[in-house]
Amino acid sequence: MSARGTRPPVTPRHPERGERSLLFVHAHPDDETVGTGATLAHYAARPDVHLTVVTCTLGEEGEVRVPALEGLAAAEADQLGGYRYWEYRQATAALGVADTHFLGGVGRWRDSGMMGTPANDHPRAFWGADLDEAAADLVAVLRDRAPRVLVTYDPDGFYGHPDHIQAHRVAMRACDLAADPDWRPDLGPAHEVRKIYWTTMPRSIIEAQFDAFASAPDNPFAGVASAADLPFGVPDDQIDAAITADDAATARKRAAMAAYATQIAPGDWLDMLGDKLGADALAAEHYRLVRGERGPVDDRGWETDLLA
Ligand SMILES: CC(=O)N[C@H]1[C@@H](O[C@@H]2[C@H](O)[C@H](O)[C@@H](O)[C@H](O)[C@H]2O)O[C@H](CO)[C@@H](O)[C@@H]1O
Ligand SMILES: [Zn+2]
């Protein structure tokens, strides 16, 4: 049970149960936009598709890239989580996503900070969550929304952040438990997610970014000898699906990114991504299919519809 002793009910805002729904599990406010914003905006434009975003923490331990707001930081007034919640509302609205849910209720699990930092040991740190307790919160949502597709991170959380790793573990555990009719029938009728994708990035795109940012003041790859040394990305032939958003959806992703002023400041590499590498750097998002049948593929051998 959660620290408050009761599990906040899953608000059946959209008790959609059907073949045209996708559910995304993310760690912090901004991951849904930075990592899958083009995909969310792409599908949000389709009235027949239902989207749910589940976010596991409020991002309390994040940086504050707005000088005037530095007092919100965890080490100061510790109000960043509430502020990022507000940014998240603006960003998900910009993407066109109405069905959003914080795992276990808003504020249940706390941002664990970077691996090895003292925040990992906070009593509510997501990194220290009991796996089945956190998974039970997600099972309740899965059984209510009954998505055909679930999207989350790979076992390394894409880049090794503890909350991303834990989001992966909780999502995969919840998919298994949700499908078991004998496990916690009080959390709703069993539901089997048909397809599971992990976010990823083709090494060819990382190499292009690596070169483009070599001279950037906040080069995200500073100190790294080659793209192959980075803790994320896969060879292009390990990509299973790519969603390339149209201009309208890409613009919605840009607007959502702009909502996260505390995380993405003007001139930051993330802010410059589109300018340096072209709109495709924001428009294209890539996935590995780890459960379910592959749908039709294009000439790259990649699916172009996660619902196929
Ligand atoms: C994209 C993402 O997951 N961001 C996390 C991450 O943020 C990093 C952190 O602030 C680090 O100290 C910085 O050097 C780095 O540039 C940031 O990307 O970790 C934060 C703390 O857990 C988290 O709030 C943020 O959402
Ligand atoms: Zn994150």
Side-chain angles (χ1 to χ4, degrees), residues 124-138:
R124 288 188 299 108
F126 187 46
W127 181 235
D130 173 84
L131 182 59
D132 280 7
E133 178 187 352
D137 289 328
L138 185 53

Side-chain angles (χ1 to χ4, degrees), residues 28 30-31 59 61-63 84 111 113-114 159 161 164 263:
H28 312 106
D30 82 3
D31 290 314
E61 294 290 332
E63 289 187 304
R84 289 182 74 177
D111 181 341
M114 299 299 274
Y159 75 103
H161 189 291
H164 286 231
Q263 302 305 305

Side-chain angles (χ1 to χ4, degrees), residues 28 56 90 116 130 164 170-171 187 201 235 266 279:
H28 312 106
C56 299
Q90 311 304 311
D130 173 84
H164 286 231
V170 168
L187 294 180
M201 193 176 282

Side-chain angles (χ1 to χ4, degrees), residues 19-30:
E19 292 299 288
R20 316 297 297 156
S21 58
L22 304 94
L23 186 143
F24 293 68
V25 181
H26 281 294
H28 312 106
D30 82 3

Side-chain angles (χ1 to χ4, degrees), residues 43-189:
Y43 282 109
R46 291 176 46 176
D48 63 318
V49 174
H50 180 77
L51 295 171
T52 302
V53 172
V54 177
T55 299
C56 299
T57 79
L58 288 171
E60 298 92 334
E61 294 290 332
E63 289 187 304
V64 181
R65 307 283 289 135
V66 178
L69 299 179
E70 286 171 351
L72 294 176
E76 308 298 333
D78 195 14
Q79 300 297 315
L80 183 57
Y83 194 87
R84 289 182 74 177
Y85 174 83
W86 179 77
E87 292 181 325
Y88 176 83
R89 302 239 59 88
Q90 311 304 311
T92 49
L95 295 173
V97 176
D99 187 15
T100 58
H101 184 91
F102 278 85
L103 189 68
V106 174
R108 172 66 189 89
W109 302 110
R110 183 181 173 91
D111 181 341
S112 308
M114 299 299 274
M115 191 65 82
T117 60
N120 295 180
D121 302 320
H122 186 285
R124 288 188 299 108
F126 187 46
W127 181 235
D130 173 84
L131 182 59
D132 280 7
E133 178 187 352
D137 289 328
L138 185 53
V139 166
V141 184
L142 286 174
R143 288 180 172 176
D144 180 77
R145 271 51 166 197
R148 170 183 170 80
V149 173
L150 182 139
V151 175
T152 191
Y153 312 119
D154 65 25
D156 192 40
F158 188 81
Y159 75 103
H161 189 291
D163 292 332
H164 286 231
I165 294 169
Q166 187 75 315
H168 161 85
R169 292 173 180 171
V170 168
M172 298 306 287
R173 177 72 173 149
C175 282
D176 291 341
L177 293 174
D180 178 352
D182 297 327
W183 191 84
R184 295 293 305 275
D186 61 302
L187 294 180

Side-chain angles (χ1 to χ4, degrees), residues 231-252:
F232 54 85
V234 297
D236 290 28
D237 62 10
Q238 289 184 20
I239 300 292
D240 294 308
I243 298 296
T244 301
D246 63 16
D247 291 348
T250 305
R252 293 171 82 94

